[in-house]
Amino acid sequence: MPETPDRSGDPTVTPLDEPPSSPSAATGETPKPGSVTVVGTAHVSSESVTEVEETIDRERPDVVAVELDEGRYRQLQGGTPDDLDASDLLRGNTVFQFLAYWMLSYVQSQLGERFDIEPGADMMAAVETAQSLGLDVALVDRDIQTTIQRFWARMTILEKLRMVGGLAFGITDPRIVGVTIGLIVGILVGPAIALFGGSIGVTEVLLTRVAGGVLVGGVIAYLFERGSPIVSDPDDRLFVALGTGIATAMVVAGTGVLDGPLNAVFSQFTIRAIGSLGLGLLSGVGVGLVIASLIGLLGGNELQTEEGIDGLDVEDLTDADVVTMMMEEFRQFSPGGAEALIDERDAFIAHRLVALREQGFDVVAVVGAGHRQGIESYLEDSSRLPAMETLVGHERNAGRGIPWGTIIGYGITVVFVAFFLLLAMAGVQRGYLLRVFAAWFAINAAFAFTFAKLAGARWTSAGVGGAVAWMTSINPMLAPGWFAGWVELRSLSVNVSDIATLNEVISDETKPMSRIISEMFEVPLFRLIMIVAMTNVGSVVASFLFATYLLPLFGAELGGIDGVSRLMIEGARQSAETIWEVLVTR
């Protein structure tokens, strides 16, 4: 049972999991109706702190209600932060919920830095003022983990991508985002070029020239980045090296000076693989840089523009009309997300305030300015409040409709098992099938292990992720990153305070981006998330490359696509006959 606010004893801080009992209820008397005064604040405004203190001192209510949950209250008090549940943290969707939480936290910390006040100072002022006057405090907000989970589940895929992209452009150089996008696009486009490039004019000669250019350009870019004295700034040197490498690659590819040596040293399959992947990477990185540059020029990094945080005035933040306008802009960006982040919390907080009022308490409620109008409308007509059970608990993703991810995942499993089973039934030699499986195992292990190490995983963690990658690639219910993350957690301790540490790291504008990224990986929570994500990405890339590069190579031994198709049809026929014979003999 939560502790009941009682004016006769010491002041308490009460998480209101259920309404407290009023003093009059204890005597059997009908409680007199209480009152609620709502104070709307900006969480990073010193003026709001003053208003809160003056209102509480003037009203002297029975209870001061604050827009905090128990976990956030402990953090603001300097207590031990909540440890994060490993089983929740390692689930793929929770990774993105963490990103959502981080983005909201980062924006608020930037606002606090802009106005030289600690985020949450208004709430702590309310708590401290209440305690100094002997008043009780009620924590009336919904648990932050529930809010973030429901916030993420209500957003569409496009909204999630836009939000994560906004975070990326807000904390790093747009060029880095462009290169990253380009690399991802290139890895996906490269195999498609290898398979279908002939139909759009991509010849073997072109792939050979591109392969030579990629090899030489990659070496030049590496050497330039590692030791060039021309550019001192690490970030600029990286991009100058990249540009120099691309230019060198184009010259080598254009002249074809390495065609002869390449054909003498490498097989045609290897040249085709390098050339198509290189062509995909070059085009992807080029497009990514152009897009990133355009977004940067058009104000993609909103946190650094005059229309962003630096353009805000503290008076604007405390003006209800401006806050309402900001809320409405967010609602246009994500109606579902706004419902979970704003509307549901308005109703949740109003539920608790109504309960206090009905118990006869006079309450001063300190909430964000954007919540004031919604809460007051519910206080005026509490019959409009939605049922409390609809405001709590986890919510399924707003994927509403056909679960394409699950269908594709199980489809891959079925295709993989059917491939081996039908070829075996068609009489294909066991040795051949073992070689195909060994290649599947090796490429998944190599990529998952390498990507995990790039994210900073320990050797054991990366090794476990690589060892299980072959199995998790064909099972949509598992992911190699989960296994790597579990092993990594044996040497890591993660909690929500890591998010504040991340905000401090990325807010330091005096350091080069390479140093900031390096320090971000030193934060346990960020490193764990990246290990999980990168291990999974490595396995996905490996599966894609296996299907588009290695499988056609093995298929050539059986007569190419036509030969494999005939054998699988024959395997299906043999399987059907075997099943029929078993049924008939029974």
Side-chain angles (χ1 to χ4, degrees):
M1 288 284 295
E3 195 170 353
T4 300
D6 186 350
R7 293 295 301 277
S8 63
D10 294 332
T12 61
V13 176
T14 307
L16 291 181
D17 293 325
E18 54 185 79
S21 298
S22 67
S24 58
T27 63
E29 300 176 4
T30 302
K32 298 178 181 179
S35 64
V36 178
T37 301
V38 181
V39 180
T41 73
H43 297 311
V44 292
S45 167
S46 57
E47 283 79 1
S48 289
V49 171
T50 302
E51 181 186 1
V52 166
E53 293 171 343
E54 292 177 349
T55 302
I56 295 174
D57 185 55
R58 182 179 64 252
E59 297 292 334
R60 298 295 177 104
D62 298 312
V63 178
V64 174
V66 291
E67 184 198 324
L68 291 173
D69 66 344
E70 195 171 1
R72 283 181 293 157
Y73 170 74
R74 269 203 317 276
Q75 277 187 271
L76 290 175
Q77 286 283 76
T80 303
D82 286 334
D83 287 332
L84 296 173
D85 189 302
S87 62
D88 287 338
L89 188 62
L90 296 180
R91 294 192 184 103
N93 202 41
T94 307
V95 172
F96 297 103
Q97 291 176 35
F98 155 74
L99 290 175
Y101 188 20
W102 181 20
M103 181 178 184
L104 297 173
S105 172
Y106 175 70
V107 170
Q108 191 172 72
S109 70
Q110 289 291 94
L111 284 166
E113 184 177 332
R114 164 71 174 84
F115 299 114
D116 194 27
I117 187 170
E118 191 72 22
D122 53 344
M123 296 300 153
M124 285 313 303
V127 172
E128 292 168 359
T129 303
Q131 292 178 333
S132 69
L133 296 174
L135 309 177
D136 294 319
V137 177
L139 310 178
V140 294
D141 201 1
R142 186 170 61 183
D143 183 86
I144 185 63
Q145 301 299 330
T146 300
T147 295
I148 292 298
Q149 189 278 329
R150 293 171 72 93
F151 168 68
W152 187 258
R154 293 287 183 86
M155 296 177 73
T156 65
I157 293 177
L158 181 59
E159 291 167 355
K160 292 172 182 176
L161 290 174
R162 287 171 60 194
M163 191 195 73
V164 174
L167 176 62
F169 279 105
I171 66 174
T172 190
D173 191 323
R175 295 174 298 179
I176 292 179
V177 181
V179 170
T180 303
I181 294 173
L183 289 174
I184 296 172
V185 171
I187 290 173
L188 298 176
V189 170
I193 292 175
L195 287 177
F196 311 109
S199 61
I200 58 173
V202 178
T203 63
E204 297 295 333
V205 173
L206 176 60
L207 291 178
T208 301
R209 292 192 170 194
V210 171
V214 167
L215 293 175
V216 176
V219 172
I220 295 297
Y222 175 79
L223 294 176
F224 193 99
E225 197 278 332
R226 300 301 296 177
S228 174
I230 301 175
V231 184
S232 58
D233 183 85
D235 295 336
D236 290 338
R237 185 167 63 244
L238 173 63
F239 294 108
V240 171
L242 187 61
T244 303
I246 292 175
T248 303
M250 294 177 66
V251 171
V252 173
T255 58
V257 294
L258 289 182
D259 291 2
L262 282 178
N263 286 316
V265 175
F266 298 108
S267 67
Q268 192 60 41
F269 174 80
T270 303
I271 293 174
R272 185 178 184 83
I274 296 174
S276 58
L277 187 59
L279 200 59
L281 289 174
L282 287 172
S283 58
V285 170
V287 172
L289 286 174
V290 170
I291 293 174
S293 299
L294 290 175
I295 292 177
L297 291 173
L298 295 175
N301 191 348
E302 294 179 0
L303 293 178
Q304 302 300 324
T305 65
E306 288 300 314
E307 296 302 320
I309 285 176
D310 289 338
L312 289 175
D313 196 330
V314 68
E315 286 78 11
D316 289 343
L317 287 175
T318 56
D319 185 272
D321 292 336
V322 173
V323 173
T324 300
M325 180 186 68
M326 294 169 65
M327 291 292 193
E328 288 306 314
E329 287 182 358
F330 178 71
R331 196 180 303 280
Q332 292 177 10
F333 167 77
S334 175
E339 184 179 359
L341 199 62
I342 303 168
D343 300 339
E344 286 188 352
R345 288 174 61 215
D346 288 351
F348 186 93
I349 293 171
H351 260 292
R352 292 188 159 181
L353 295 179
V354 167
L356 287 169
R357 185 176 64 185
E358 290 178 350
Q359 292 294 326
F361 290 102
D362 292 324
V363 182
V364 167
V366 182
V367 300
H371 293 288
R372 180 175 180 173
Q373 182 177 354
I375 291 172
E376 287 184 333
S377 68
Y378 282 127
L379 292 175
E380 291 173 4
D381 183 8
S382 59
S383 63
R384 296 175 46 249
L385 279 169
M388 186 59 127
E389 55 267 24
T390 66
L391 305 174
V392 295
H394 281 207
E395 183 165 316
R396 301 183 68 87
N397 280 343
R400 309 159 177 122
I402 302 174
W404 290 111
T406 302
I407 293 174
I408 293 173
Y410 282 110
I412 292 173
T413 302
V414 171
V415 170
F416 184 86
V417 173
F419 176 80
F420 283 95
L421 180 62
L422 295 180
L423 289 183
M425 292 298 296
V428 175
Q429 295 181 354
R430 185 181 302 174
Y432 172 85
L433 296 177
L434 287 175
R435 283 193 293 118
V436 174
F437 179 78
W440 170 264
F441 178 90
I443 192 171
N444 271 277
F447 273 81
F449 176 87
T450 301
F451 277 52
K453 285 299 295 178
L454 288 174
R458 295 173 179 267
W459 289 96
T460 51
S461 307
V464 169
V468 302
W470 72 271
M471 176 179 62
T472 57
S473 294
I474 60 172
N475 188 333
M477 304 304 295
L478 298 174
W482 297 354
F483 294 88
W486 274 110
V487 176
E488 192 71 24
L489 271 173
R490 296 174 61 184
S491 58
L492 283 179
S493 176
V494 298
N495 56 56
V496 294
S497 67
D498 288 344
I499 293 178
T501 305
L502 279 172
N503 291 337
E504 293 177 5
V505 170
I506 63 181
S507 297
D508 190 343
E509 298 180 357
T510 64
K511 297 177 182 177
M513 185 54 61
S514 56
R515 176 72 180 278
I516 291 177
I517 292 176
S518 176
E519 292 186 2
M520 288 171 67
F521 274 93
E522 294 175 4
V523 179
L525 176 58
F526 184 79
R527 185 163 75 250
L528 179 64
I529 293 293
M530 291 305 297
I531 289 171
V532 173
M534 290 291 285
T535 306
N536 292 338
V537 169
S539 180
V540 171
V541 171
S543 301
F544 191 74
L545 295 179
F546 177 84
T548 54
Y549 282 124
L550 296 184
L551 203 54
L553 180 63
F554 282 107
E557 299 182 27
L558 301 178
I561 295 178
D562 290 340
V564 172
S565 299
R566 285 195 297 270
L567 287 171
M568 293 184 71
I569 293 172
E570 176 62 21
R573 189 182 65 80
Q574 293 285 352
S575 300
E577 290 180 356
T578 301
I579 294 173
W580 177 254
E581 290 176 2
V582 170
L583 294 176
V584 170
T585 54
R586 284 188 176 184

